[in-house]
Amino acid sequence: MSANERATRALKEILQNPGNDACADCGAPDPDWGSCSLGVFICLACSGIHRNLPDVSKVKSLSLSHWEDHEVQFMSENGNELMKIKYEAAVPFYYYKPTYKDCQTLKEQWIRAKYERKEFSEPWKNFTYEEGIKDGLLMKMGRDNGQFLSRRFVLSEREGTLKYFTKYDAKEPKAVIKVDTINATFQPKKIGNPNGLQITYLKDYSTRNIFVYHDNCKEIVDWFNTIRAVQLHYLKVAFPGSTDAELVHKLTRNFLKEGQMEKTGPKHTEGFKKRWFTLDQRRLMYFKDPLDAFAKGEVFLGNKSHGYSASPGLPAGTHCNGAWQHGITIVTPERGFLFTCESEADQQDWLKHFNNVMNAVMSPQEYTMEALFKHKH
């Protein structure tokens, strides 16, 4: 057996150790790369980020690269679980740890924060995300013209608000957003920028979208995690008996699903029109364009036991004049909604998400939201 074959076999054995079966940075299954300078097993996508940190990390393919005996020994003595204890010793609860499904910008900053800046290696370290105020410029998309212009944003923990100003020295903000109504989610594809962030908030019980980015990916991720830090502070005040672990799921969230479907009007006799749909917890919103500031409409998806259902197909006799044939019928206590999808796979995926939502137990806040929806519509 050659030295290379021996090394490959030894690495395969080390991969069996607890924690080494998933990427150390994003959790992707079956990592096939390793950092022989950090002692962690990582996936192909994260290995590309590590390669951009040559002073910190030296990456090799587990099966294609030549491994020295001392490197294999180093991997054996370290590994993902031990290195997690070292490099993730003090990650704050609010700090968003990306998964393999998240965008490159989030993953890169997480990896840089861990290994390059060693932000989480020392307990009791002061984090910039916890300074209680963040003030700076972000590129923001205009509501009506689609142009991105530089705007000043100010996030204040003391006031519990995020404000933005059309001019840097403006006295009055263009908008004052309460942090407890904010959601922020990275949307590089939709916004057309790798650092694109979608901020949504409630305005008069309707969801308002604003789209921002910053050329510096560290800066936009800092904004994101500072928003989460301020939100956690507010939740601790609102729910004094709760632990950080119980509150963290109430911070920013990714949408459950987004994409195009066709939709007809309330009478079900109008033509089917293409719309962009966003499923955010129990709110199904539809937009003419993915980058619209306001939804054209919203559907609240309550629990199945209260008269909500989602099923494949359209009612008999529905005139389906659209290009798409894979129907979905959603029934709420107030009315029915008819949609069509481009493919059966898409139809099945939407149905899976709708049914998951409708099968989930509703929280007291969701009952309040349901009542508001009925009042509004």
Side-chain angles (χ1 to χ4, degrees):
M1 189 191 296
S2 71
N4 244 12
E5 287 169 336
R6 262 202 321 275
T8 303
R9 183 175 285 186
L11 288 165
K12 274 193 175 150
E13 279 177 23
I14 300 164
L15 269 176
Q16 307 306 311
N17 293 344
N20 291 345
D21 59 342
C23 173
D25 297 323
C26 74
D30 306 319
D32 46 9
W33 288 75
S35 169
C36 60
S37 54
L38 293 169
V40 291
F41 293 92
I42 52 179
C43 69
L44 174 64
C46 288
S47 77
I49 299 169
H50 278 253
R51 202 171 277 115
N52 291 332
L53 313 175
D55 298 340
V56 176
S57 187
K58 185 182 174 190
V59 292
K60 290 188 171 189
S61 161
L62 300 184
S63 54
L64 302 173
S65 303
H66 171 73
W67 288 75
E68 301 290 346
D69 288 347
H70 69 89
E71 291 171 337
V72 175
Q73 182 69 20
F74 184 72
M75 298 302 284
S76 167
E77 289 166 0
N78 293 288
N80 292 3
E81 288 211 338
L82 263 183
M83 292 303 97
K84 193 172 193 169
I85 292 166
K86 177 178 178 179
Y87 290 106
E88 297 181 31
V91 183
F93 264 102
Y94 57 76
Y95 191 96
Y96 184 82
K97 291 186 188 181
T99 72
Y100 60 93
K101 294 176 181 172
D102 281 301
C103 66
Q104 181 81 353
T105 290
L106 271 171
K107 288 191 279 198
E108 181 183 331
Q109 286 310 305
W110 167 233
I111 288 167
R112 285 184 181 273
K114 274 208 295 187
Y115 306 118
E116 187 179 51
R117 301 195 292 272
K118 296 190 173 67
E119 281 188 27
F120 315 120
S121 298
E122 300 160 24
W124 320 119
K125 189 175 177 180
N126 289 332
F127 292 102
T128 53
Y129 322 107
E130 293 171 20
E131 287 168 1
I133 186 108
K134 188 158 178 64
D135 184 334
L137 295 172
L138 295 172
M139 298 300 286
K140 177 190 168 292
M141 195 182 91
R143 194 177 108 182
D144 304 314
N145 58 12
Q147 275 188 311
F148 279 90
L149 296 167
S150 181
R151 296 287 181 252
R152 181 189 181 194
F153 282 77
V154 180
L155 177 67
S156 167
E157 186 180 279
R158 191 170 53 80
E159 294 177 18
T161 57
L162 175 67
K163 299 175 183 174
Y164 75 87
F165 301 81
T166 45
K167 292 196 168 60
Y168 194 83
D169 52 358
K171 297 279 181 284
E172 291 300 314
K174 180 84 166 94
V176 180
I177 306 162
K178 292 170 57 124
V179 292
D180 56 357
T181 74
I182 287 179
N183 185 33
T185 173
F186 276 88
Q187 296 277 13
K189 274 201 189 126
K190 191 155 92 170
I191 294 171
N193 184 289
N195 303 335
L197 187 68
Q198 178 174 348
I199 294 173
T200 63
Y201 60 97
L202 287 179
K203 187 177 181 184
D204 307 324
Y205 303 117
S206 289
T207 306
R208 163 87 158 97
N209 295 319
I210 56 176
F211 301 95
V212 298
Y213 72 84
H214 195 285
D215 287 330
N216 180 311
C217 68
K218 178 180 184 297
E219 183 63 14
I220 197 72
V221 175
D222 283 358
W223 270 102
F224 177 65
N225 280 305
T226 306
I227 287 170
R228 288 173 60 88
V230 170
Q231 285 184 327
L232 184 60
H233 169 83
Y234 263 75
L235 285 167
K236 283 160 103 162
V237 174
F239 304 98
S242 302
T243 63
D244 287 358
E246 287 166 335
L247 296 173
V248 80
H249 73 277
K250 295 177 186 282
L251 303 181
T252 63
R253 61 198 175 269
N254 293 327
F255 299 134
L256 297 175
K257 183 169 170 65
E258 284 197 293
Q260 280 195 322
M261 289 192 284
E262 292 180 337
K263 172 189 178 300
T264 183
K267 292 194 175 76
H268 300 172
T269 52
E270 299 165 37
F272 277 78
K273 294 192 179 96
K274 279 195 180 65
R275 294 287 180 253
W276 178 265
F277 286 81
T278 298
L279 180 60
D280 181 18
Q281 295 179 312
R282 290 189 180 273
R283 302 166 93 101
L284 177 66
M285 296 167 275
Y286 48 95
F287 303 84
K288 198 168 179 186
D289 183 274
L291 298 175
D292 283 347
F294 291 99
K296 286 188 80 66
E298 300 189 27
V299 185
F300 182 85
L301 303 181
N303 188 277
K304 277 205 164 144
S305 60
H306 299 166
Y308 294 87
S309 68
S311 52
L314 301 173
T318 306
H319 176 57
C320 187
N321 63 335
W324 295 351
Q325 301 301 313
H326 303 276
I328 292 177
T329 300
I330 286 184
V331 175
T332 75
E334 280 68 50
R335 60 170 274 207
F337 294 87
L338 306 183
F339 310 116
T340 54
C341 302
E342 188 173 15
S343 67
E344 190 183 348
D346 207 24
Q347 173 205 43
Q348 294 303 316
D349 196 47
W350 275 110
L351 279 168
K352 181 188 82 178
H353 283 91
F354 293 150
N355 284 307
N356 285 347
V357 168
M358 290 177 186
N359 286 326
V361 176
M362 278 170 62
S363 69
Q365 292 95 324
E366 287 172 336
Y367 278 110
T368 306
M369 190 190 288
E370 183 182 37
L372 286 168
F373 253 85
K374 286 180 176 168
H375 174 72
K376 197 175 98 176
H377 299 284

